[in-house]
C-alpha cells in the first residue's frame, strides 16, 4: 500500500522524496492548480511565499548547520536550493521560480511518486499518512484537524513586496553587504537621512491597512520574524532602525558615513531583475504600499511585481499531540510535518518533512523510529515540538539555544558556534546508518 502525503509544499515534497528514495510508493495529494490560496501565485510545488532567503549559509550558524545536516542526509530541497542560489551576502537565497520548477520536476518525474491533483477534505481513516498541508491548510481539512486534535492555534504570516530592478533609482542607492561580506552585488541598499526616515515613519504608522475579518490587524498574532513592518513601526520611532532598517555595517559612498536608516533589497532571481524589500512584510493596502514605500528615495518610482500580503497560518499544540518522530501520540500511523508542527522557517519545515518521511517508512517496515540526537539541529527541533514540559507552545526556528550546552566554555561566539557545528555533524555521522 502506498504511503500518502498530503500537501506538496516544502515539507510534503521532502517527505515524499525521502519515502520514494527508500523504495516505497507515494501518493502525493496537492490541491493546486484546481484550488489556489490567496498567497500562492503559481502552480508549481514548493512555492516560497514570504521570502526567497533560506537564512545564513555558513555552517557555524544555526540556520547553516541545519542545512548542512539536511545535505548530508540527502535532502532534495537542499540539492535544488544550492543549484538555484542567487547572491545574498552570507545567506543562501534562491531564484524562487527556478527552485519551485526544479523541485516540481524532480517530484513529478520520480517513478515511485504519483501526484494526485485534488483537495483532501478529511483525514484518512487507514494507512500511513503524512499531513504536510502547511500554514495555508484549506478550511475543510483544517476543521477536521482541529476536531481530531482538540483545537489548534492560529496566527498570521505577512509577505514583503517585490519590485523590478530597473525601477530602483540607483542615484539614491548603493550595492554592498554588511561589513563588506558576501560581495558588493549581494544587496541593493536604500539609505535615508534622519529627516527622510522620520517622515517615512510617520506615514507608515498612519497608513491604511487592508481589512481582514479573521485577524486583529492592530495586534495580529504572527511570527516576530514575519511581523508587518507597520506594526513594528508602531512600537517606537527607532524600532525599524534597530530592526529591518538597521544601518550598521554599511557606509553610503555618497557621504562616506553610515546612513541614518537603510532598507535592503535582495535579489529574487538569478538574473537579478526583481528585488525583495527585506523585512518589509506588510498588510497595507496596495496603493498605500506604493505611496509610503515610495517615500524611500531609491523607490520613488518603483514598479511592483508583487505587493505585500498577510495570510492565515496555523499550527498545532504539538507537545500535547506529537512525538519527536512527528507521529501522533495516539495514532502512530498519522504523521504531521512542516510549519503546522511548530517549526518556524522554510528549511525547518523541510527538515521535519524529511524526518516524517523517513519515519513513515520505518513505521511501514515495522522498524523503530529514528530520532536524531539533541546535539543536531534537526534532532533538537524535533524534540522541541514534542517537549511536553513546554506549556505555552510557540513556533521555533533553528537556533543554537535549543542545543545542549558544550562541555567546555568557549567565550568567542564564532568559535563556540563552530564547536556546536562540529559536535552536531560528528553525532549525525554516527547515526547515518539508521537513516537508510
Amino acid at each position: 500500500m502506498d504511503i500518502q502525503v498530503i500537501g506538496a509544499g516544502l515539507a510534503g515534497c521532502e517527505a515524499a522524496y525521502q519515502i520514494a528514495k527508500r523504495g516505497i510508493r507515494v501518493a502525493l495529494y496537492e490541491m493546486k492548480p484546481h484550488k489556489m490560496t490567496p498567497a500562492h501565485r503559481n502552480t508549481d510545488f514548493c512555492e516560497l511565499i514570504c521570502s526567497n532567503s533560506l537564512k545564513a549559509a555558513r555552517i557555524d550558524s544555526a540556520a547553516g548547520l541545519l542545512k548542512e545536516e539536511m545535505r548530508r542526509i540527502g535532502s532534495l530541497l537542499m540539492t535544488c536550493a544550492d543549484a538555484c542560489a542567487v547572491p545574498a551576502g552570507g545567506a543562501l537565497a534562491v531564484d524562487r521560480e527556478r527552485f519551485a520548477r526544479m523541485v516540481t520536476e524532480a517530484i513529478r518525474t520520480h517513478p515511485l511518486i504519483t501526484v494526485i491533483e485534488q483537495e483532501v477534505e478529511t483525514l484518512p481513516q487507514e494507512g500511513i499518512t503524512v499531513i504536510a498541508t502547511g500554514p495555508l491548510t484549506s478550511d475543510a481539512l483544517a476543521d477536521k484537524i482541529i476536531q481530531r486534535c482538540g483545537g489548534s492555534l492560529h496566527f498570521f504570516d505577512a509577505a514583503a513586496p517585490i519590485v523590478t530592478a530597473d525601477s530602483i533609482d540607483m542615484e539614491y542607492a548603493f550595492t554592498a553587504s554588511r561589513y563588506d561580506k558576501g560581495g558588493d552585488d549581494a544587496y541593493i541598499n536604500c539609505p535615508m537621512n534622519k529627516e527622510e526616515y522620520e517622515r517615512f515613519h510617520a506615514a507608515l504608522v498612519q497608513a491604511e491597512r487592508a481589512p481582514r475579518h479573521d485577524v486583529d490587524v492592530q495586534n495580529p498574532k504572527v511570527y516576530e520574524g514575519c511581523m508587518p513592518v507597520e506594526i513594528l513601526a508602531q512600537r517606537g520611532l527607532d524600532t525599524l532602525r534597530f530592526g529591518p532598517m538597521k544601518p550598521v555595517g554599511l557606509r553610503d559612498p555618497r557621504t562616506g558615513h553610515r546612513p541614518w536608516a537603510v532598507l535592503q533589497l535582495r535579489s529574487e532571481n538569478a538574473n537579478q531583475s526583481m528585488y525583495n524589500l527585506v523585512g518589509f512584510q506588510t498588510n497595507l493596502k496596495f496603493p498605500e504600499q506604493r505611496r509610503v514605500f515610495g517615500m524611500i528615495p531609491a523607490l520613488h518610482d518603483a514598479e511592483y511585481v508583487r505587493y505585500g500580503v498577510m495570510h492565515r497560518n496555523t499550527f498545532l499544540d504539538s507537545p500535547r499531540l506529537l512525538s519527536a518522530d512527528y507521529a501522533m501520540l495516539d495514532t502512530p500511523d498519522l504523521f504531521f510535518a512542516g510549519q503546522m508542527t511548530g517549526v518556524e522557517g522554510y528549511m525547518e519545515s523541510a527538515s521535519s518533512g524529511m524526518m516524517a518521511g523517513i519515519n513513515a517508512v520505518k513505521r511501514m517496515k515495522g522498524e523503530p523510529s529514528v530520532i536524531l540526537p539533541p546535539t543536531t539541529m534537526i534532532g533538537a527541533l524535533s524534540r522541541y515540538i514534542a517537549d511536553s514540559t513546554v506549556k505555552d507552545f510557540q513556533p521555533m526556528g533553528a537556533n543554537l539555544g535549543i542545543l545542549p550546552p558544550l562541555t567546555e566554555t568557549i567565550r568567542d561566539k564564532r568559535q563556540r558556534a563552530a564547536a556546536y557545528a562540529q559536535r552536531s555533524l560528528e553525532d549525525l555521522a554516527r547515526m547515518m546508518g539508521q537513516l537508510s
Side-chain angles (χ1 to χ4, degrees):
M1 184 176 182
D2 294 355
I3 292 178
Q4 300 175 87
V5 176
I6 302 176
L10 294 157
C13 284
E14 190 67 67
Y17 177 78
Q18 296 298 328
I19 294 166
K21 180 180 176 181
R22 286 159 177 78
I24 305 298
R25 297 190 63 85
V26 182
L28 175 60
Y29 291 82
E30 171 55 49
M31 68 182 187
K32 293 197 304 183
H34 303 298
K35 184 174 182 178
M36 304 284 281
T37 72
H40 287 118
R41 292 292 179 270
N42 69 54
T43 59
D44 286 332
F45 305 154
C46 286
E47 183 179 356
L48 303 182
I49 297 173
C50 280
S51 168
N52 69 327
S53 174
L54 307 182
K55 302 179 186 176
R58 68 179 199 275
I59 296 175
D60 58 348
S61 69
L65 175 59
L66 174 69
K67 290 191 284 288
E68 182 61 22
E69 291 174 2
M70 293 175 65
R71 287 188 187 97
R72 297 193 181 196
I73 296 173
S75 162
L76 169 65
L77 268 64
M78 281 310 308
T79 298
C80 295
D82 288 336
C84 299
V86 298
L92 173 60
V94 300
D95 179 326
R96 69 174 82 203
E97 292 186 0
R98 185 180 169 212
F99 172 76
R101 284 197 304 270
M102 189 172 180
V103 176
T104 302
E105 182 178 1
I107 293 295
R108 286 192 178 277
T109 59
H110 197 293
L112 293 180
I113 300 175
T114 300
V115 176
I116 303 170
E117 295 178 345
Q118 69 179 54
E119 179 183 0
V120 175
E121 297 183 342
T122 187
L123 293 172
Q125 298 301 308
E126 59 181 21
I128 298 172
T129 302
V130 178
I131 305 291
T133 46
L136 299 174
T137 298
S138 64
D139 291 340
L141 183 58
D143 288 343
K144 294 297 189 299
I145 293 172
I146 291 170
Q147 293 172 21
R148 176 65 181 77
C149 298
S152 68
L153 303 175
H154 299 277
F155 60 99
F156 288 78
D157 270 352
I162 297 173
V163 298
T164 61
D166 57 10
S167 70
I168 302 164
D169 191 337
M170 293 304 295
E171 288 190 14
Y172 299 98
F174 61 95
T175 57
S177 295
R178 296 189 194 279
Y179 304 105
D180 296 322
K181 294 181 179 179
D184 286 347
D185 62 347
Y187 290 90
I188 293 177
N189 299 277
C190 306
M192 304 177 77
N193 60 33
K194 186 174 186 290
E195 182 181 355
E196 291 166 342
Y197 172 78
E198 290 183 353
R199 286 201 305 265
F200 164 76
H201 181 273
L204 180 60
V205 296
Q206 296 171 15
E208 190 174 1
R209 301 169 192 174
R212 293 196 64 94
H213 304 294
D214 49 0
V215 61
D216 177 0
V217 296
Q218 298 297 324
N219 297 288
K221 187 175 184 181
V222 298
Y223 288 150
E224 191 71 19
C226 279
M227 186 70 66
V229 66
E230 60 271 16
I231 301 295
L232 284 175
Q234 284 184 324
R235 296 178 178 178
L237 180 61
D238 289 324
T239 303
L240 298 181
R241 293 184 58 244
F242 290 92
M245 299 189 76
K246 61 181 181 287
V248 296
L250 295 168
R251 182 178 58 84
D252 188 341
R254 298 176 303 166
T255 65
H257 300 292
R258 186 172 76 179
W260 187 254
V262 172
L263 167 64
Q264 289 198 305
L265 308 180
R266 182 179 55 234
S267 174
E268 272 290 313
N269 54 1
N271 62 11
Q272 298 180 290
S273 62
M274 300 183 295
Y275 278 81
N276 183 288
L277 279 61
V278 177
F280 265 45
Q281 298 87 359
T282 183
N283 189 48
L284 296 184
K285 288 187 173 181
F286 292 174
E288 289 289 78
Q289 293 182 42
R290 289 196 304 271
R291 179 182 70 85
V292 177
F293 299 156
M295 296 176 70
I296 299 171
L299 300 183
H300 67 88
D301 200 27
E303 296 178 3
Y304 292 79
V305 296
R306 186 192 72 185
Y307 288 102
V309 294
M310 180 180 281
H311 55 87
R312 193 190 72 187
N313 209 332
T314 307
F315 64 95
L316 303 172
D317 187 13
S318 294
R320 257 57 65 188
L321 298 168
L322 303 182
S323 62
D325 63 357
Y326 292 97
M328 288 202 72
L329 291 167
D330 62 358
T331 311
D333 282 355
L334 183 59
F335 293 79
F336 282 87
Q339 287 193 76
M340 184 177 289
T341 67
V343 293
E344 178 182 357
Y346 288 146
M347 288 298 102
E348 289 86 344
S349 294
S351 75
S352 71
M354 168 181 281
M355 297 312 300
I358 291 171
N359 284 316
V361 174
K362 295 289 186 182
R363 178 71 180 170
M364 174 169 277
K365 294 181 176 179
E367 299 175 358
S369 292
V370 178
I371 301 171
L372 295 183
T375 51
T376 65
M377 194 59 66
I378 293 174
L381 284 169
S382 72
R383 291 164 192 268
Y384 170 79
I385 64 100
D387 184 355
S388 61
T389 66
V390 175
K391 300 306 179 186
D392 183 19
F393 181 64
Q394 292 294 317
M396 180 67 69
N399 69 89
L400 299 179
I402 62 174
L403 300 177
L406 298 167
T407 55
E408 58 180 321
T409 301
I410 303 176
R411 298 194 179 279
D412 182 85
K413 291 176 65 175
R414 192 70 176 262
Q415 292 178 5
R416 185 165 62 250
Y420 276 118
Q422 180 179 352
R423 182 183 67 176
S424 166
L425 297 178
E426 289 175 352
D427 289 351
L428 177 62
R430 287 189 280 270
M431 292 287 294
M432 290 300 291
Q434 299 180 41
L435 292 167
S436 60

